[in-house]
Amino acid sequence: VGVIASNQEHVAKALAATRSALVLGGSREEFSRKVLDAVNNVRSNHKLYRELSVNAGALCDGKGAQRVAETIVAYLNYSKIN
């Protein structure tokens, strides 16, 4: 998770606390290097990759966009009726 604004810190810290994501803070100048280092670290460390994957999977089901789309469609259908 790249933190580039202070309002992102809370969520990033929560993800880090559950070992669901790696948090990449610091300056914008350092960010590209940090992303590359993190990707290489996860690629070369299967145990870390698996841990992050399992933990992140326990937090989200991957269906959030579908739920948002269904809510929008339901709202639009409701608006047509009323």
Side-chain angles (χ1 to χ4, degrees):
V1 176
V3 177
I4 57 173
S6 61
N7 66 335
Q8 300 167 335
E9 290 176 5
H10 179 72
V11 172
K13 286 179 181 178
L15 291 171
T18 60
R19 297 285 295 159
S20 300
L22 301 177
V23 177
L24 310 174
S27 69
R28 289 179 185 256
E29 295 78 24
E30 299 173 321
F31 188 72
S32 294
R33 181 189 51 78
K34 286 186 174 188
V35 169
L36 183 60
D37 290 346
V39 169
N40 287 330
N41 184 20
V42 173
R43 285 182 62 203
S44 65
N45 185 337
H46 183 72
K47 183 178 176 184
L48 175 61
Y49 170 81
R50 184 77 180 135
E51 178 184 16
L52 293 170
S53 177
V54 168
N55 293 342
L59 288 178
C60 59
D61 62 10
K63 297 178 184 178
Q66 178 181 342
R67 284 191 295 274
V68 169
E70 289 170 355
T71 301
I72 292 170
V73 168
Y75 174 78
L76 292 174
N77 288 335
Y78 177 79
S79 295
K80 287 180 185 177
I81 296 171
N82 294 318

